[in-house]
Amino acid sequence: MSNHNEHEKKGNARKEMTRRQFLAYTLGGTTAFMAGGVAIPMIRFAVNPLLEKKEKGSFIKVIEETKITNEPQEFSFQRHQVDGWYESDAKLSAYISKSEDGKIFALSPICQHLGCTIGWNNDKNFPNEYHCPCHGAHYTKDGKNLAVAPRPLKEYQMKIENGFIYLGDLMDNTRVK
C-alpha cells in the first residue's frame, strides 16, 4: 500500500510556475501585443490600395458631336485617377473621327510598339495615316497596324448623350480584325 500512495503523490504532483517563467511569459506576451499594435497598421497601410475596388465605366465629356468630321482630330481631356494614395488629374488625348458609314469612334494616340505619341498626317511619306515619329510605325485611319507595331491602336469606350461625346476606358480595337 505504501507503493500505491507514493505513485499517487508523484502522479498528482503539480508543477509550480517559477517567478522567472512568469516574468518571461508576461514580457513575451506584452512584447507580442505591442509588436502587433505597430505591425498591423503598417500591413493594413501597405495592402489597403490592393483591396479597394477600381472605378470602372466612368465616362468623361470630351466634345460636341457636331464638331466631329471624317478627318481624325485630336482632342484633349482630363481624367481624375487614384494610384494608391496618389491622386492626380491625368491629361489624356484621343483622335476622334467618323468612319465611312458615319459612325463616330475614338482612338488612343499611344503607339503600340513602344508607347510614343503618334500623329495624324504628320509624315509626307504616309499620307492619311497615323505615324509614330519614334520608330516609324504607322496605322490606318481605323487604327490597323501597317508596320513595326505588333497590335492596332487601342480604342476608347464611347457613348453619345445629349449631343456630346463621352469617352471611357481603353479597350482593344473593335474596328480592325
Side-chain angles (χ1 to χ4, degrees):
M1 197 160 175
S2 67
N3 232 357
H4 181 67
N5 286 341
E6 284 177 26
H7 186 315
E8 237 178 64
K9 285 181 184 177
K10 284 184 182 178
N12 290 339
R14 219 169 100 189
K15 285 191 172 182
E16 297 271 334
M17 183 184 296
T18 64
R19 281 189 212 158
R20 183 171 294 198
Q21 288 175 325
F22 174 76
L23 285 174
Y25 293 147
T26 304
L27 287 175
T30 303
T31 303
F33 179 75
M34 291 174 66
V38 171
I40 289 173
M42 288 193 300
I43 292 169
R44 186 169 170 217
F45 179 78
V47 174
N48 191 41
L50 299 174
L51 301 177
E52 286 185 13
K53 291 183 179 177
K54 304 260 187 231
E55 255 186 55
K56 289 262 183 190
S58 59
F59 285 84
I60 290 137
K61 185 180 195 178
V62 177
I63 191 73
E64 291 178 49
E65 182 182 6
T66 57
K67 294 186 179 181
I68 304 303
T69 63
N70 289 341
E71 186 81 9
Q73 301 172 67
E74 186 174 17
F75 295 99
S76 296
F77 59 98
Q78 285 189 347
R79 170 174 272 167
H80 185 75
Q81 61 186 22
V82 179
D83 184 20
W85 294 271
Y86 181 70
E87 292 188 35
S88 64
D89 289 321
K91 292 181 181 180
L92 303 172
S93 62
Y95 278 98
I96 305 175
S97 63
K98 287 183 184 177
S99 62
E100 293 176 10
D101 60 356
K103 292 184 179 178
I104 298 174
F105 64 97
L107 297 175
S108 168
I110 305 301
C111 180
Q112 294 298 298
H113 177 233
L114 291 175
C116 295
T117 303
I118 60 160
W120 172 256
N121 262 344
N122 62 346
D123 189 331
K124 294 175 186 174
N125 297 324
F126 304 105
N128 297 321
E129 290 181 359
Y130 293 102
H131 181 262
C132 178
C134 297
H135 301 102
H138 50 105
Y139 303 85
T140 65
K141 180 182 170 185
D142 286 336
K144 182 178 181 184
N145 50 321
L146 298 174
V148 181
R151 293 176 305 281
L153 292 173
K154 295 275 188 179
E155 186 177 356
Y156 280 100
Q157 291 178 345
M158 189 186 73
K159 69 178 181 178
I160 300 172
E161 243 177 47
N162 300 325
F164 285 93
I165 294 175
Y166 292 81
L167 297 182
D169 295 329
L170 281 173
M171 61 183 185
D172 288 334
N173 195 322
T174 60
R175 307 189 58 73
V176 296
K177 303 287 184 236

